[in-house]
Amino acid sequence: MKAIDSDHNNDEYELNALRRGLDAEQHTILERIPTVYTEEKIACAINTIRAFIKEYKFSNNSLAKKIGYSSSVISQVLNGKYEGDTEAALTSILKFCNDYKRQDDNYNKRPDRVDTSVLREIQGLITNTISFSHEEGKIGLLIGDGGHGKTYCLEIWCKDNPTSAYMIVLDESNTKKGIMQMLAEAVGVDYSGTVEAIIKRLVRQLRDRHAVIIVDEASHLNVSCLNMLRQVICVKCKCPLILSGNNHLLKTLACDSGRSGYESLDQFNSRVMRSSNLDELAYDSTDPGTGLYSEQDIRDMFQYDGIMLAKDAVDTLKHICSTPRSGRLRICVDIISALHKVSSIYQTQLITGLDIIRMIYTLRLPCENLPMAVPKPKRQLADQQQAATA
């Protein structure tokens, strides 16, 4: 019983240390925002906001959308002509500026670009699809649940190929006309008028150029929209088409083409050149030590700013990345970013697997979606043991 109490106390101490580290970071941010606004502090706050807008290339409109104000309010506040609650407006704007800058500073500590297995797999998919798009455009499918970094890797391709790659990101509200308008805007042609008029302009601009069209969040597409993209991009423009989405996209493509309204699926599937399922590649059941995320990938992505990863930390991150519906890379970024704010981590210059597990509980992340092998802190185990005994 004394051993349990000792572990219990040690665990609580270290969890509280993590919380204090995060709270201290938040306190530092809040200290930058004045509690009482004198005329001098109002002028200083306005200058700070103007400098932020210039440094991060925000417009008044884009800044207003982030904090729920209108662009006219932002303009009035910055020009000293706002007749509403100036102090409340300044506090909201400054808090956003500070939070954004803090996140950007932390992001910039990480490597700008890491040549990971995921990036190579996605680049191989695009290259392969392009290489077979001679007489007609072929289709490449990129499948994976959230957190693999699909969008980030696709953006890298577009950045590396600015004159031949065009990407749009869909949502569930997009109509056929909306999709064509987004494509036209991305390609740089007039997107006004009817769907037919927009399609004609797209075809004139893209035909035989073999520019690759990338559609992210393609799981929102129904069969009719998929057929429209096949007809316009692959048949008329003769361009390769890359669709990125989750397993819902695969379910749509696997529907019975004999059903009314689904006849075009045969035509669509016949043009699929390659499909990369990141969920399947992420975990090799025949060899749990392998898979899409290598140890080197994990170190390249999450070992930065002089802070090293212990072997058990690498294994824990790999486990998260390889587990379905766990948040994968995205949640690992959040965990490591939070650990980089803890003073004790900077003192040791090392992150362990236990540090990662404790941060999961400190941040109150949805543990039921994380690997079952991630243990609970000893206190919770002790509580469960006592409850079972009772």
Side-chain angles (χ1 to χ4, degrees):
M1 193 68 183
K2 289 183 179 179
I4 292 178
D5 287 341
S6 176
D7 288 339
H8 175 139
N9 293 334
N10 288 338
D11 239 32
E12 276 298 289
Y13 176 81
E14 296 194 35
L15 283 172
N16 287 332
L18 290 176
R19 293 191 183 101
R20 285 196 300 273
L22 294 176
D23 289 344
E25 174 70 13
Q26 179 66 16
H27 184 65
T28 302
I29 295 166
L30 295 176
E31 280 183 343
R32 301 171 195 156
I33 302 174
T35 54
V36 178
Y37 284 89
T38 62
E39 288 188 11
E40 182 181 353
K41 287 187 176 180
I42 289 176
C44 182
I46 290 174
N47 288 335
T48 299
I49 295 168
R50 288 187 182 278
F52 171 86
I53 289 173
K54 182 178 180 180
E55 180 180 357
Y56 292 97
K57 297 180 174 58
F58 270 83
S59 65
N60 285 357
N61 187 49
S62 60
L63 179 60
K65 287 181 179 179
K66 294 289 186 181
I67 58 177
Y69 283 106
S70 66
S71 58
S72 62
V73 168
I74 300 295
S75 178
Q76 291 167 16
V77 169
L78 294 181
N79 290 307
K81 298 179 179 179
Y82 184 51
E83 296 181 355
D85 190 339
T86 301
E87 293 188 5
L90 284 173
T91 299
S92 295
I93 299 170
L94 282 173
K95 186 178 186 309
F96 169 78
C97 294
N98 282 324
D99 288 350
Y100 187 94
K101 188 176 188 309
R102 176 174 57 87
Q103 292 169 7
D104 186 70
D105 288 346
N106 189 64
Y107 177 83
N108 287 335
K109 290 179 181 178
R110 302 200 305 270
D112 291 334
R113 176 168 172 170
V114 179
D115 184 20
T116 62
S117 304
V118 175
L119 178 61
R120 291 192 295 272
E121 177 66 27
I122 292 175
Q123 290 178 335
L125 166 74
I126 299 174
T127 301
N128 192 246
T129 305
I130 292 172
S131 65
F132 283 88
S133 297
H134 301 302
E135 298 301 321
E136 62 180 10
K138 296 295 185 180
I139 299 171
L141 300 179
L142 177 60
I143 306 299
D145 58 22
H148 279 296
K150 302 188 299 297
T151 301
Y152 173 75
C153 293
L154 293 172
E155 288 173 345
I156 285 179
W157 180 276
C158 292
K159 185 177 180 180
D160 290 345
N161 302 274
T163 61
S164 62
Y166 303 98
M167 177 174 165
I168 63 172
V169 182
L170 303 182
D171 61 53
E172 58 187 10
S173 68
N174 291 127
T175 61
K176 284 186 176 181
K177 182 175 182 179
I179 293 170
M180 288 297 105
Q181 286 178 320
M182 291 173 70
L183 278 172
E185 185 177 11
V187 171
V189 300
D190 182 10
Y191 54 88
S192 63
T194 64
V195 175
E196 292 76 14
I198 297 170
I199 290 174
K200 285 181 180 179
R201 296 186 202 111
L202 277 170
V203 173
R204 282 198 300 269
Q205 182 76 3
L206 293 176
R207 187 172 177 81
D208 297 321
R209 276 187 54 194
H210 292 286
V212 62
I213 302 300
I214 301 172
V215 180
D216 196 14
E217 300 290 348
S219 304
H220 296 297
L221 294 169
N222 57 31
V223 174
S224 180
C225 289
L226 287 168
N227 188 47
M228 177 187 68
L229 286 170
R230 175 190 66 83
Q231 290 178 325
V232 174
I233 303 303
C234 300
V235 178
K236 294 182 179 180
C237 295
K238 298 185 178 181
C239 290
L241 173 66
I242 306 296
L243 299 180
S244 174
N246 58 30
N247 278 289
H248 183 73
L249 176 59
L250 285 183
K251 291 179 181 178
T252 301
L253 295 176
C255 289
D256 181 6
S257 60
R259 291 171 56 186
S260 176
Y262 287 72
E263 299 84 356
S264 63
L265 281 178
D266 282 341
Q267 289 285 348
F268 185 95
N269 288 323
S270 69
R271 285 173 170 78
V272 175
M273 185 62 226
R274 177 171 165 179
S275 175
S276 291
N277 192 323
L278 301 182
D279 295 342
E280 294 179 353
L281 294 171
Y283 181 72
D284 184 353
S285 59
T286 62
D287 185 359
T290 62
L292 188 61
Y293 299 98
S294 68
E295 179 175 333
Q296 191 58 49
D297 285 341
I298 297 297
R299 291 193 183 278
D300 288 344
M301 287 185 287
F302 301 117
Q303 192 166 266
Y304 59 92
D305 200 27
I307 297 179
M308 309 300 287
L309 294 175
K311 179 62 168 62
D312 64 340
V314 173
D315 292 341
T316 303
L317 293 172
K318 280 186 63 177
H319 198 169
I320 294 172
C321 290
S322 302
T323 302
R325 297 176 299 281
S326 67
R328 300 190 188 266
L329 291 177
R330 185 176 297 144
I331 206 165
C332 290
V333 168
D334 293 339
I335 293 167
I336 297 300
S337 296
L339 285 169
H340 271 246
K341 297 181 179 71
V342 179
S343 58
S344 60
I345 298 295
Y346 266 96
Q347 291 172 1
T348 62
Q349 294 285 285
L350 182 70
I351 293 174
T352 68
L354 189 57
D355 291 327
I356 293 171
I357 293 167
R358 283 174 170 145
M359 185 54 74
I360 288 171
Y361 287 92
T362 299
L363 296 176
R364 294 179 174 84
L365 297 175
C367 301
E368 65 274 9
N369 296 329
L370 294 174
M372 295 306 294
V374 173
K376 294 181 179 180
K378 293 187 179 72
R379 175 178 182 179
Q380 291 178 264
L381 291 175
D383 290 345
Q384 288 179 355
Q385 291 171 355
Q386 290 175 358
T389 302

